[in-house]
Amino acid sequence: MSRGPITPRSVARAVLDRVDKQGAWATPALDGELARAGLDERDRRLAAELVYGVLRHRTRLDRAIALHAELKKTPPRVVTALRVAAYQLLFLDRVPPYAAVDDAVAAARDASGPKLGGFVNAVLRKVVAKREPPLPADPRARLEIEYSLPRWIVDELDAAGGLAHASAFAEPAPIIARGNRRKTTRAQLIEH
């Protein structure tokens, strides 16, 4: 297995492999990989987006990939490469599809040989063409897939107040800033 240059995608794959194989916590694993990688700030942000995005949407990603591949028969490192690429294809609009596909193919070749590189290329080209299957109409099943929530969390959300507000639980939290009024004004903080 050859190891190519360190990129945001390779960092994300390394972190996700550690999370899957070793049960590592994503944030400390990502912090460690980023410290070793020496990436610039933009690439650090992309690596973090890929890690947290794949973890946040794993059920949806696996569902889209599973239309074209048997995940249980695919080597784990190749599955990770497929997930990282599928996340970029389905959720990120600034990443050109060819970049996500080419990177995943190279990662699969490095991990498992040229035959699996061709397999990854074929699967991801189908994901590009067909996107993901429609979400189910059933509200419970839809929440499970759309937000990659385990069934027990959907049940708890339903018991706590109904499924109408459950999607708010799965959305990213808003960014809130609290300024020190002794050092700045609200207008200055907003401008900054």
Side-chain angles (χ1 to χ4, degrees), residues 46-68:
L46 177 57
E49 173 66 30
L50 294 174
V51 168
Y52 296 128
V54 167
L55 293 174
R56 187 181 313 116
H57 296 288
R58 186 169 166 165
T59 301
R60 253 175 111 169
L61 297 171
D62 286 357
R63 186 169 174 255
I65 296 166
L67 287 176
H68 316 292

Side-chain angles (χ1 to χ4, degrees), residues 65-175:
I65 296 166
L67 287 176
H68 316 292
E70 290 188 50
L71 291 174
K72 290 184 180 186
K73 292 184 178 182
T74 306
R77 292 184 72 202
V78 174
V79 172
T80 300
L82 285 166
R83 286 177 178 148
V84 170
Y87 177 72
Q88 294 170 84
L89 296 170
L90 297 174
F91 292 96
L92 299 183
D93 54 356
R94 291 188 178 184
V95 176
Y98 72 85
V101 172
D102 289 350
D103 178 76
V105 168
R109 281 187 187 137
D110 286 349
S112 302
K115 187 174 181 182
L116 283 177
F119 164 75
V120 166
N121 186 47
V123 169
L124 291 175
R125 295 221 179 264
K126 289 177 184 174
V127 170
V128 169
K130 297 184 180 181
R131 308 296 292 164
E132 63 179 314
L135 294 169
D138 174 59
R140 287 176 169 274
R142 182 182 182 102
L143 280 172
E144 277 185 80
I145 293 166
E146 186 172 11
Y147 298 106
S148 293
L149 295 173
R151 175 62 93 165
W152 70 269
I153 290 179
V154 173
D155 292 341
E156 288 292 323
L157 290 169
D158 189 21
L163 296 177
H165 304 292
S167 62
F169 168 78
E171 295 294 326
I175 296 174

